[in-house]
């Protein structure tokens, strides 16, 4: 395994852990709600909905070097699985990055201007909105990516337990 890929993987794993904890704390302090319509969202939303989105966007960005380090961790025979996992991870990064960028830039502008049409399309807290679908699609891609990455681990030590837990 490439030593630089190992170091990158360890650093980004620590970043991912930190950002996940930050998200959990911010989501507990500023709990997001789901709304049925954009009018309900405007009536009940506050500017605090942005706070949990910040670590979410940073998590998307931190996953890119982490997934790349997993690709370089894979042995030569497991590279096709790792490449497939990396491609699904990139698809997650695109979906998640676009969605969280919209939540941080476009949705606050829609809240301030009261533009219900803009909020209906871009807010992921409204049931059935395209932004909610984009968020769910991104996490489906991430799940598939990690499913393929599970095939790169051998059956020894901690890696064996992980592979057994994921059903390979």
């Amino acid at each position: 395994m490439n030593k630089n890929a190992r170091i990158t993987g360890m650093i980004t794993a620590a970043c991912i852990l930190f950002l996940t904890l930050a998200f959990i704390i911010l989501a507990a302090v500023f709990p997001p709600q789901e709304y049925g319509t954009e009018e309900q969202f405007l009536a009940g939303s506050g500017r605090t909905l942005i706070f949990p989105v910040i670590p979410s966007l940073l998590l998307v960005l931190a996953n890119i070097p982490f997934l790349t380090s997993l690709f370089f961790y894979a042995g030569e025979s497991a590279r096709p699985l790792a490449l497939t996992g990396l491609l699904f991870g990139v698809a997650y990064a695109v979906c998640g990055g676009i969605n969280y960028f919209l939540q941080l830039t476009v949705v606050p502008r829609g809240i301030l201007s009261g533009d219900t049409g803009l909020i209906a399309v871009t807010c992921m807290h409204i049931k059935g909105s395209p932004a909610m679908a984009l968020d769910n699609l991104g996490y489906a891609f991430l799940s598939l990516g990690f499913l393929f990455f599970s095939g790169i681990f051998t059956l020894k030590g901690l890696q064996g337990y992980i592979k057994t837990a994921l059903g390979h």
Side-chain angles (χ1 to χ4, degrees), residues 34-37 123-129 132:
E34 286 188 3
Y35 300 93
T37 65
C123 182
M124 70 178 182
H125 298 289
I126 297 175
K127 292 180 185 177
S129 71
M132 180 180 256

Side-chain angles (χ1 to χ4, degrees), residues 46-146:
R47 293 186 175 111
T48 59
L49 285 175
I50 286 180
F51 294 130
V53 176
I54 295 168
S56 299
L57 178 62
L58 294 174
L59 268 168
V60 167
L61 298 175
N63 269 303
I64 295 170
F66 179 70
L67 297 172
T68 304
S69 69
L70 284 177
F71 173 76
F72 284 107
Y73 175 81
E76 206 54 45
S77 62
R79 283 280 166 97
L81 285 174
L83 181 59
T84 306
L86 183 60
L87 291 174
F88 278 116
V90 168
Y92 153 74
V94 169
C95 292
I98 290 170
N99 186 38
Y100 296 133
F101 181 76
L102 288 173
Q103 302 312 304
L104 288 172
T105 58
V106 177
V107 172
R109 185 179 184 127
I111 291 171
L112 292 175
S113 67
D115 187 351
T116 57
L118 182 66
I119 290 174
V121 174
T122 59
C123 182
M124 70 178 182
H125 298 289
I126 297 175
K127 292 180 185 177
S129 71
M132 180 180 256
L134 187 63
D135 195 42
N136 292 332
L137 180 64
Y139 283 109
F141 284 143
L142 183 64
S143 299
L144 286 171
F146 280 122

Side-chain angles (χ1 to χ4, degrees), residues 15-37:
C15 289
I16 288 171
L17 177 64
F18 172 75
L19 291 169
T20 302
L21 291 174
F23 169 77
I24 290 169
I25 291 167
L26 288 171
V29 173
F30 307 106
Q33 298 175 345
E34 286 188 3
Y35 300 93
T37 65

